[in-house]
Amino acid sequence: MLTVAVLISGTGSNLRALLEAARHPDFPARIVAVGADRDAEGLAHAADFSIPSFTVPYRSFESRDAWGEALGDRLDEHRPDLVVLSGLMRLLPASLVARYAPRIINTHPAYLPEFPGAHGVRDALAAGVAQTGASVIVVDDGVDSGPILAQERIPVQQGDTEETLHERIKPVERRLLIDVVRRIATGDLALTH
Ligand code: GRF
């Protein structure tokens, strides 16, 4: 059984989808911990599912590296086989990536390598593209630059706002993420740097 830790910063709707998927006895992975870099709304999902959670507030640390070390120590307490970033709005320091790579994956609301970074949805809208997408990638030292594990195109509709487009992207992200975690757990998908 693959053990998974999920890191969030926001509402955690993708986390919730994973928690619900992992509730099924035939799902080959289980969520063992949820962490956040702030007092994230999504931590409530961990409580709903009685999953241990922790907060390592970014603002309490002198540097990204110091924060990363503290975050890595909390993750180590749960010894996860896989770390999933799902809405974590912080770049992990290279020192933390090195501790877990390539067993860290991330969901991104764009068709990478298009529109990397913290505002993928906003950037796609601003670019006026007819379609964007959702991607699941391996986390490396760059910004959304790791190997792509799964992705799918999503049309941009007339009148879309950042919110309406993002809410249409998230269900696709959730489906891709659950499928990628399942494939990693069954060995169908090997993680490489
Ligand atoms: C997701 O689209 C994720 O890819 C992006 O932020 C969003 C988080 O949504 N980094 P939620 O917190 O899972 O609802």
Side-chain angles (χ1 to χ4, degrees):
M1 177 70 76
L2 189 84
T3 59
V4 179
V6 184
L7 300 180
I8 64 169
S9 297
T11 60
S13 65
N14 285 350
L15 161 67
R16 177 114 204 162
L18 256 185
L19 287 166
E20 286 169 358
R23 195 157 48 179
H24 292 285
D26 62 353
F27 193 71
R30 63 189 173 86
I31 316 299
V32 294
V34 175
D37 66 322
R38 65 195 77 177
D39 186 18
E41 197 182 319
L43 289 169
H45 299 315
D48 289 349
F49 284 75
S50 307
I51 304 286
S53 64
F54 55 85
T55 304
V56 182
Y58 187 81
R59 301 203 182 289
S60 307
F61 294 83
E62 295 296 306
S63 69
R64 185 185 302 274
D65 279 327
W67 171 74
E69 281 306 301
L71 183 59
D73 292 346
R74 298 304 302 273
L75 282 170
D76 288 353
E77 289 170 20
H78 301 277
R79 289 190 298 284
D81 298 318
L82 178 68
V83 178
V84 173
L85 311 186
S86 190
L88 183 73
M89 299 309 280
R90 295 272 178 216
L91 273 183
L92 299 183
S95 53
L96 178 52
V97 174
R99 273 165 86 162
Y100 278 92
R103 298 179 293 117
I104 316 179
I105 65 174
N106 183 27
T107 60
H108 184 72
Y111 200 84
L112 292 170
E114 300 165 4
F115 311 118
H119 304 291
V121 179
R122 186 191 310 172
D123 296 344
L125 272 181
V129 293
Q131 56 179 4
T132 180
S135 306
V136 181
I137 61 169
V138 176
V139 173
D140 64 5
D141 290 351
V143 178
D144 299 323
S145 54
I148 295 171
L149 300 174
Q151 58 184 174
E152 187 170 307
R153 280 289 184 191
I154 296 160
V156 179
Q157 290 174 357
Q158 281 295 331
D160 257 334
T161 63
E162 185 177 352
E163 288 70 32
T164 60
L165 178 53
H166 205 166
E167 286 314 306
R168 192 160 356 100
I169 291 169
K170 283 185 182 182
V172 177
E173 281 186 89
R174 292 170 204 149
R175 176 164 44 78
L176 294 179
L177 176 60
I178 289 165
D179 185 51
V180 163
V181 170
R182 179 187 289 109
R183 286 163 54 211
I184 292 168
T186 58
D188 286 350
L189 185 57
L191 294 179
T192 58
H193 284 274

